[in-house]
C-alpha cells in the first residue's frame, strides 16, 4: 500500500549534494491501521502547517539536574530552574534556530516563526514545498472514521548541515492525531453507591475537607475550538454552587476555529478542576488550538512551557503512543516536557479510555502523552460513595494503563515499577461515566466520565498543594512516588482488559487515588513562592490539613472550633486560653537557603483575654528562633494580654540574619494561674528573596 502511495505522490525529491545532502531520518512515514487506506494523490497545493523541533543542548547536564531536583533532601526552593537559566544552558541557540528558519524560508515556506525558547520553528506551506524541502512524498488517506486525511509516504529528512540541530518535523501527517477521553453516561442500572457527583463533592470525597483551596494558583487547560460557551457554563457552575467567579484567560496557538464539538470535554475539565480545587482557583488559562493535530498540540505544549505561567496544566487528550513516535511528535513533546519539569511545571494527562490497548491492534500499548516520563499520568476508577464519603474504588475497565513500548522508565519509578519502560498510570481517580461528574453543558446538566474526568480531579488537587506549599514545589511525579501508602486509596480489584489491579502500584490505577489531607501533610515543609526569585518556605501555613505536620504542636493547638474563628479557611493554631497555668508551643524546622538577600516572617495573630489589667503582662507569647540543637538564637517578638485585639493583626519580622542556616521557628504561649488569654495564629509564612 505504501508503494502505491509513493507512486501517487505530488512530487519526487531528486536529491541534493554536499552540505545540502539529505541525511538522518527525522520523521517516519506513519503505518496505517485496519480501516485506513490510501485513496489517491494529495494535491500539490494542500496546505500544511509544520513544526520543526530542534534538539536540546547539554542533555546529560539537564538530566543530572532533574535527578537532583527529585531528591527528597533538596530544598523545594532549589528544585526549579528559571527559564533564563534553561535558555542559557539547554535550549537551542538563536543561531541554530535561525539556520533552520532560513532553510524553511529559502524552501518556500511562509510565516516562519521561531518559538521564544527556540525549541520549535513553525512554518506554513504546501505539500509540494514540503516534499521538496524534506525529501518526502505524500498521499491522501481515508481514516477508519471516513475522514479525509493526508500522510507522508516516505521518511522525512533535512540537510546534513542541519542534522545536528533538528530533532523531528511534525505536521506531515494528520491521519493519526490526538483525541479527547470523554465518556457520556448511558442509561442503565447502577448500584446505589455508584452515582454521578457534583464536581464540588470530589473535594470531600477524596479527603479535602479543611484543606485550603487553590486561590491564587493559575491552572492551565489545553483546549481546542470555540470555548466561549465553556466559560459561560463555568460561570453558571460557580454561581449555582455559591462559588467565586473564576478569572479566565484564553491564549490561542496557531489560530482559532468555531468548532464546538469538544464543549463537553472542556466543560468537564474546567468545572472539575474548580470543584477538586476546593471551589476556587486563582485563574484558569485556556491554551487553545484550532484543530486536534499533533503539530498544534506540540506547539501548544511548547507555548505553555515558554510562558511558564501555569504550574499545573490539564491535558485530557492522547493517542496511541506508537503514532507519536513515528511522526516525531513524542520526541518534540518530551523535550518541552523536560523544560517544564526543570521549571517546576506539572502536566496532568489522562491515561486513555481504551483499556490497555490504546492502539486498537490487539496488543498492550499506552496512550501518549500519558506515557511520557515527564508528566503525571492519571488513570480511572469506578467510584463508590455514600453521600460525599468515599466508600471504595475499583478499576474502571476502560482506563488506559500498560508499560510503554519505547519510553524509558524514569528514575523516580525505581523498583516500584518492574522492567525498563515507563509504567502508566501514576495515580487514578473517578472516570467511570456511571459514577462521573454532573457537568453543566449549554446550561443543562450532563453526566460525564472517562479519564478526562480523572485528570482534572488531580489538576485541582495539585493546585491546592501549590497553594499550600508554594508554586516552586516542583514537578509532581517524583513527589508522588515518595508519598507513604497512607496518602492513597489503594485500588486492588478490577482489570482494563490487559492489566489487573494488585496491592500497591499497578498498571491499571498506579498507586490508586489520593487522600488530599494526607498528601498535603506528607509533602513536608517548604514551598516556592513564584517569580522573581521569591520563595515561601513553611509548610501547612494555614493549618488547613487539620493536623500539625510539618509543625510540631502541643495537644489541642491545631483547632477548627467556631469559638475562635480562623483568619482564613477553617483551621488555625490556638495557644493557651485555659485560665490556668499552661504552656503551649508551635514550631517548625526550616532551612533558609544561602544566596538570598532577605527573609521575612509574616503571621496573623488574634489575642483575646479575660485579664482586665492595663499595666501587667500576666500571659505571654514569644516568637523565637532556635538552632537544631535547641539553643536560643533570638527573640523576634513578645506579646501579652496587654496586646489584645478584636480581630487579627498582621505582624512581620526580619529573619535575614538566619539566611544559610537551618533553624527552628517556635511560638511559645505561657499562661498564669487565672484568667485566660488566647493567642490565635494563622497564615504563617516565611518568604525569602
Amino acid at each position: 500500500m505504501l508503494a502505491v502511495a509513493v507512486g501517487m505522490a505530488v512530487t519526487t525529491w531528486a536529491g541534493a549534494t554536499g552540505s545540502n545532502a539529505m541525511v538522518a531520518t527525522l520523521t517516519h512515514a506513519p503505518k496505517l491501521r485496519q480501516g485506513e487506506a490510501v485513496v489517491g494523490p494529495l494535491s500539490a497545493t494542500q496546505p500544511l502547517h509544520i513544526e520543526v523541533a530542534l534538539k536540546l543542548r547539554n542533555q546529560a547536564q539537564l538530566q543530572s539536574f532533574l535527578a537532583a531536583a527529585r531528591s527528597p533532601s533538596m530544598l523545594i526552593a532549589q528544585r526549579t530552574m528559571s527559564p533564563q537559566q534553561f535558555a542559557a544552558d539547554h535550549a537551542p541557540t538563536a543561531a541554530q534556530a535561525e539556520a533552520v528558519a532560513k532553510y524553511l524560508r529559502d524552501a518556500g515556506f511562509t510565516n516562519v516563526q521561531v518559538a521564544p525558547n527556540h525549541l520549535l520553528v513553525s512554518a506554513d506551506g504546501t505539500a509540494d514545498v514540503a516534499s521538496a524541502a524534506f525529501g518526502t512524498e505524500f498521499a491522501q488517506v481515508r481514516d477508519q472514521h471516513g475522514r479525509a486525511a493526508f500522510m507522508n509516504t516516505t521518511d522525512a529528512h533535512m540537510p546534513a548541515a542541519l542534522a545536528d540541530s533538528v530533532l523531528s518535523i511534525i505536521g506531515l501527517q494528520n491521519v493519526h492525531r490526538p483525541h479527547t477521553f470523554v465518556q457520556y453516561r448511558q442509561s442503565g442500572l447502577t448500584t446505589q453507591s455508584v452515582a454521578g457527583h457534583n464536581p464540588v463533592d470530589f473535594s470531600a470525597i477524596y479527603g479535602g475537607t479543611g484543606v485550603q483551596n487553590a486561590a491564587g494558583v493559575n491552572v492551565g487547560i489545553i483546549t481546542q475550538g470555540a470555548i466561549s460557551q465553556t466559560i459561560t457554563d463555568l460561570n453558571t457552575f460557580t454561581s449555582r454552587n455559591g462559588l467565586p467567579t473564576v478569572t479566565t484567560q484564553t491564549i490561542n496557538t496557531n489560530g482559532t476555529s468555531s468548532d464546538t464539538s469538544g464543549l463537553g470535554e472542556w466543560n468537564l475539565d474546567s468545572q472539575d478542576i474548580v470543584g477538586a480545587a476546593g471551589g476556587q482557583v486563582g485563574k484558569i488559562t485556556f491554551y487553545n488550538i484550532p484543530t486536534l493535530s499533533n503539530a498544534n498540540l506540540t506547539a501548544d505544549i511548547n507555548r505553555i512551557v515558554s510562558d511558564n505561567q501555569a504550574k499545573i496544566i490539564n491535558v485530557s487528550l492522547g493517542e496511541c503512543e506508537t503514532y507519536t513516535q513515528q511522526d516525531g511528535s513524542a520526541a518534540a513533546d518530551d523535550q518541552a516536557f523536560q523544560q517544564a519539569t526543570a521549571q517546576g511545571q506539572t502536566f496532568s494527562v489522562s491515561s486513555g479510555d481504551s483499556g490497555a490497548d490504546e492502539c486498537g491492534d490487539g496488543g498492550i500499548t499506552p496512550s501518549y502523552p500519558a506515557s511520557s516520563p515527564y508528566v503525571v499520568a492519571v488513570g480511572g476508577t469506578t467510584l463508590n460513595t455514600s453521600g460525599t464519603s468515599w466508600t471504595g474504588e475499583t478499576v474502571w475497565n476502560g482506563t488506559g494503563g500498560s508499560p510503554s513500548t519505547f519510553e524509558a522508565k524514569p528514575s523516580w519509578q525505581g523498583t516500584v515499577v518492574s522492567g525498563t519502560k515507563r509504567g502508566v498510570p501514576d495515580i487514578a481517580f473517578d472516570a467511570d461515566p456511571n459514577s462521573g461528574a454532573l457537568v453543566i453543558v449549554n446550561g443543562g446538566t450532563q453526566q460525564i466520565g472517562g479519564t478526562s474526568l480523572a485528570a482534572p480531579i488531580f489538576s485541582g488537587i495539585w493546585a491546592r498543594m501549590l497553594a499550600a506549599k508554594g508554586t516552586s514545589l516542583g514537578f509532581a511525579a517524583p513527589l508522588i512516588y515518595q508519598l507513604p501508602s497512607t496518602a492513597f486509596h489503594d485500588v486492588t480489584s478490577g482489570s482494563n482488559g490487559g492489566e489487573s489491579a494488585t496491592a500497591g502500584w499497578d498498571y491499571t490505577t498506579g498507586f490508586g487515588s489520593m487522600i488530599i489531607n494526607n498528601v498535603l501533610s506528607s509533602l513536608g515543609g517548604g514551598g516556592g513562592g513564584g517569580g522573581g526569585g521569591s520563595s515561601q518556605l513553611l509548610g501547612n501555613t494555614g493549618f488547613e490539613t487539620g493536623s500539625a505536620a510539618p509543625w510540631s504542636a502541643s495537644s489541642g493547638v491545631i483547632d477548627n472550633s467556631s469559638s475562635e474563628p480562623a483568619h482564613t479557611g477553617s483551621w488555625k493554631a490556638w495557644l493557651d486560653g485555659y485560665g490556668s497555668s499552661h504552656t503551649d508551643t508551635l514550631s517548625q524546622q526550616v532551612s533558609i537557603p544561602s544566596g538570598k538577600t532577605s527573609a521575612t516572617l509574616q503571621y496573623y495573630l488574634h489575642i483575646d483575654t479575660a485579664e482586665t489589667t492595663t499595666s501587667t503582662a500576666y500571659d505571654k507569647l514569644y516568637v523565637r528562633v532556635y538552632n537544631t540543637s535547641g539553643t536560643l538564637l533570638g527573640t523576634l517578638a513578645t506579646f501579652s494580654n496587654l496586646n489584645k485585639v478584636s480581630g487579627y493583626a498582621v505582624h512581620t519580622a526580619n529573619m535575614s540574619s538566619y539566611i544559610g542556616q537551618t533553624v527552628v521557628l517556635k511560638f511559645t504561649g505561657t499562661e498564669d494561674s487565672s484568667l485566660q488569654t488566647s493567642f490565635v495564629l494563622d497564615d504563617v509564612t516565611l518568604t525569602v528573596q
Side-chain angles (χ1 to χ4, degrees):
M1 180 166 52
L2 290 182
V4 174
V6 171
M8 294 186 292
V10 296
T11 186
T12 301
W13 176 71
T17 60
S19 63
N20 286 326
M22 293 292 183
V23 298
T25 298
L26 298 174
T27 297
H28 293 286
K31 296 179 181 179
L32 297 182
R33 55 190 170 186
Q34 186 176 2
E36 298 173 337
V38 171
V39 295
L42 183 66
S43 169
T45 59
Q46 169 70 41
L48 297 179
H49 176 85
I50 63 162
E51 301 282 346
V52 179
L54 278 65
K55 297 176 183 176
L56 289 172
R57 295 180 295 117
N58 304 320
Q59 270 277 18
Q61 295 176 18
L62 177 59
Q63 293 303 317
S64 295
F65 172 83
L66 295 178
R70 296 164 185 155
S71 170
S73 62
M74 175 169 276
L75 290 173
I76 288 178
Q78 299 172 350
R79 285 180 181 164
T80 60
M81 182 185 297
S82 70
Q84 293 76 19
Q85 182 182 352
F86 187 91
D89 296 341
H90 304 295
T93 66
Q96 288 175 307
E98 178 51 35
V100 172
K102 182 179 185 302
Y103 177 77
L104 295 177
R105 286 191 293 265
D106 291 347
F109 284 97
T110 60
N111 193 29
V112 179
Q113 298 184 30
V114 176
N117 61 359
H118 301 157
L119 280 179
L120 295 178
V121 180
S122 64
D124 296 317
T126 53
D128 59 342
V129 170
S131 181
F134 307 130
T136 189
E137 300 172 332
F138 293 91
Q140 187 177 359
V141 179
R142 180 179 294 113
D143 75 5
Q144 59 184 232
H145 303 294
R147 178 180 62 91
F150 62 83
M151 59 178 273
N152 56 306
T153 59
T154 58
D155 294 345
H157 308 269
M158 286 281 271
L162 300 176
D164 288 341
S165 298
V166 178
L167 178 70
S168 60
I169 307 162
I170 307 104
L172 303 181
Q173 67 85 28
N174 70 351
V175 63
H176 298 149
R177 59 181 186 169
H179 55 90
T180 61
F181 295 128
V182 62
Q183 302 290 327
Y184 293 86
R185 180 181 180 271
Q186 304 300 315
S187 59
L189 296 176
T190 58
T191 64
Q192 186 175 5
S193 61
V194 177
H197 302 281
N198 185 325
V200 300
D201 292 340
F202 287 120
S203 175
I205 290 169
Y206 285 114
T209 301
V211 176
Q212 70 185 82
N213 61 35
V217 176
N218 181 9
V219 181
I221 306 177
I222 289 183
T223 58
Q224 176 268 325
I227 59 167
S228 59
Q229 185 61 44
T230 290
I231 297 172
T232 297
D233 286 335
L234 177 61
N235 291 337
T236 301
F237 164 76
T238 54
S239 176
R240 289 182 184 177
N241 287 283
L243 304 174
T245 300
V246 178
T247 300
T248 63
Q249 180 183 12
T250 301
I251 296 176
N252 294 310
T253 301
N254 289 349
T256 61
S257 79
S258 59
D259 180 16
T260 59
S261 62
L263 178 61
E265 173 66 74
W266 320 132
N267 289 19
L268 177 75
D269 290 347
S270 55
Q271 294 172 34
D272 283 283
I273 284 171
V274 174
Q280 188 174 355
V281 297
K283 182 170 74 170
I284 289 180
T285 302
F286 297 99
Y287 282 92
N288 198 46
I289 51 180
T291 64
L292 288 177
S293 70
N294 285 340
N296 282 336
L297 181 58
T298 294
D300 212 29
I301 291 169
N302 196 64
R303 175 64 184 271
I304 294 168
V305 173
S306 295
D307 285 355
N308 192 32
Q309 295 301 307
K311 293 299 184 181
I312 175 68
I313 305 97
N314 191 80
V315 187
S316 294
L317 300 166
E319 64 184 298
C320 167
E321 71 167 10
T322 305
Y323 306 146
T324 64
Q325 182 185 32
Q326 291 169 356
D327 80 349
S329 58
D333 295 349
D334 275 354
Q335 288 202 150
F337 288 142
Q338 286 179 64
Q339 180 176 351
T341 61
Q343 295 172 173
Q345 293 176 289
T346 298
F347 283 78
S348 170
V349 184
S350 303
S351 70
D353 293 355
S354 300
D357 181 16
E358 176 62 31
C359 299
D361 59 7
I364 295 179
T365 311
S367 173
Y368 186 91
S371 64
S372 171
Y374 307 105
V375 306
V376 172
V378 189
T381 68
T382 298
L383 174 65
N384 291 266
T385 57
S386 175
T388 59
S389 297
W390 183 94
T391 59
E393 280 174 286
T394 57
V395 176
W396 175 53
N397 59 13
T399 184
S402 59
S404 174
T405 59
F406 69 90
E407 294 279 21
K409 179 173 70 175
S411 60
W412 38 266
Q413 286 197 315
T415 58
V416 173
V417 179
S418 61
T420 60
K421 295 294 190 289
R422 161 72 156 126
V424 175
D426 301 304
I427 50 175
F429 293 96
D430 185 21
D432 188 335
N434 291 310
S435 58
L438 301 173
V439 180
I440 295 173
V441 181
N442 284 319
T445 301
Q446 297 181 12
Q447 187 166 326
I448 310 177
T451 53
S452 282
L453 167 59
I457 290 176
F458 172 70
S459 294
I461 290 172
W462 195 251
R464 298 171 82 167
M465 302 301 113
L466 295 172
K469 302 292 184 179
T471 52
S472 289
L473 182 58
F475 176 43
L479 301 174
I480 290 170
Y481 279 74
Q482 295 164 13
L483 292 172
S485 60
T486 53
F488 305 100
H489 297 296
D490 190 10
V491 180
T492 60
S493 175
S495 167
N496 66 358
E499 305 287 350
S500 297
T502 62
W505 190 95
D506 57 61
Y507 286 109
T508 59
T509 60
F511 286 115
S513 63
M514 286 177 155
I515 304 172
I516 299 172
N517 51 16
N518 290 353
V519 171
L520 184 59
S521 61
S522 298
L523 281 175
S534 174
S535 300
Q536 196 293 111
L537 303 181
L538 297 177
N540 199 11
T541 59
F543 313 104
E544 295 299 326
T545 64
S547 59
W551 297 94
S552 296
S554 302
S555 176
V557 164
I558 308 302
D559 174 83
N560 69 340
S561 63
S562 59
S563 54
E564 287 285 0
H567 174 248
T568 60
S570 302
W571 295 78
K572 72 282 181 183
W574 182 357
L575 287 76
D576 297 325
Y578 290 89
S580 60
S581 297
H582 189 84
T583 299
D584 274 332
T585 60
L586 174 74
S587 63
Q588 184 174 151
Q589 180 173 303
V590 59
S591 297
I592 306 177
S594 58
K596 298 296 182 179
T597 59
S598 66
T600 304
L601 175 69
Q602 177 177 291
Y603 50 97
Y604 288 82
L605 176 62
H606 167 60
I607 303 174
D608 71 48
T609 183
E611 301 282 1
T612 58
T613 179
T614 58
S615 59
T616 305
Y618 291 111
D619 312 312
K620 296 180 181 180
L621 175 72
Y622 301 94
V623 186
R624 290 168 168 165
V625 180
Y626 296 81
N627 66 19
T628 55
S629 297
T631 301
L632 177 64
L633 301 179
T635 298
L636 302 176
T638 302
F639 302 92
S640 74
N641 49 281
L642 300 178
N643 304 115
K644 65 181 179 179
V645 60
S646 58
Y648 279 86
V650 61
H651 300 276
T652 60
N654 187 349
M655 293 184 62
S656 299
S657 60
Y658 305 108
I659 290 174
Q661 301 181 47
T662 297
V663 297
V664 176
L665 172 66
K666 188 172 185 179
F667 297 88
T668 302
T670 62
E671 195 173 19
D672 73 353
S673 58
S674 64
L675 300 177
Q676 75 87 25
T677 300
S678 296
F679 302 99
V680 189
L681 286 161
D682 204 356
D683 299 325
V684 185
T685 59
L686 175 56
T687 303
V688 296
Q689 298 213 19

